[in-house]
């Protein structure tokens, strides 16, 4: 891989890092909201839905982190 392509990959990595940070912030906000719900609401369908969304955001952070690492490896 030539230098130009490595630079392009590094730019993509930077963009993904920013997106990762935004998704992590959203996940943390949702987790905070869930943690501050009364227990009876946490155990309700609303709480379960919020937990699912938190899990999905957590999965998204994992996928973004994996993509970043793979791109870094590809750039060498």
């Amino acid at each position: 891989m030539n230098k130009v392509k490595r630079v392009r990959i590094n730019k993509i990595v930077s963009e993904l890092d920013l997106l990762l940070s935004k998704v992590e912030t959203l996940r943390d906000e949702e987790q905070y909201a869930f943690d501050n719900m009364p227990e009876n609401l946490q155990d309700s369908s609303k709480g379960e839905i919020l937990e699912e969304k938190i899990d999905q955001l957590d999965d998204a952070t994992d996928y973004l982190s994996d993509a970043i690492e793979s791109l870094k490896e590809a750039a060498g």
Side-chain angles (χ1 to χ4, degrees):
M1 179 173 300
N2 64 29
K3 182 178 179 179
V4 172
K5 289 179 183 173
R6 282 193 299 277
V7 168
R8 287 171 54 196
I9 287 176
N10 288 331
K11 184 174 190 248
I12 293 168
V13 167
S14 294
E15 292 169 359
L16 287 175
D17 276 330
L18 179 60
L19 290 174
L20 175 60
S21 177
K22 290 179 179 184
V23 174
E24 288 173 333
T25 298
L26 284 170
R27 182 206 52 213
D28 293 346
E29 290 170 358
E30 292 298 284
Q31 185 65 56
Y32 181 82
F34 178 80
D35 291 343
N36 287 292
M37 283 179 137
E39 279 190 44
N40 62 328
L41 284 178
Q42 286 180 353
D43 295 333
S44 71
S45 62
K46 183 177 180 178
E48 290 176 11
I49 290 169
L50 187 52
E51 275 189 307
E52 282 180 32
K53 300 304 177 189
I54 293 165
D55 288 343
Q56 291 165 342
L57 289 168
D58 201 39
D59 288 345
T61 62
D62 290 343
Y63 296 138
L64 285 167
S65 293
D66 289 346
I68 290 167
E69 289 307 310
S70 293
L71 287 166
K72 285 179 179 179
E73 288 176 18

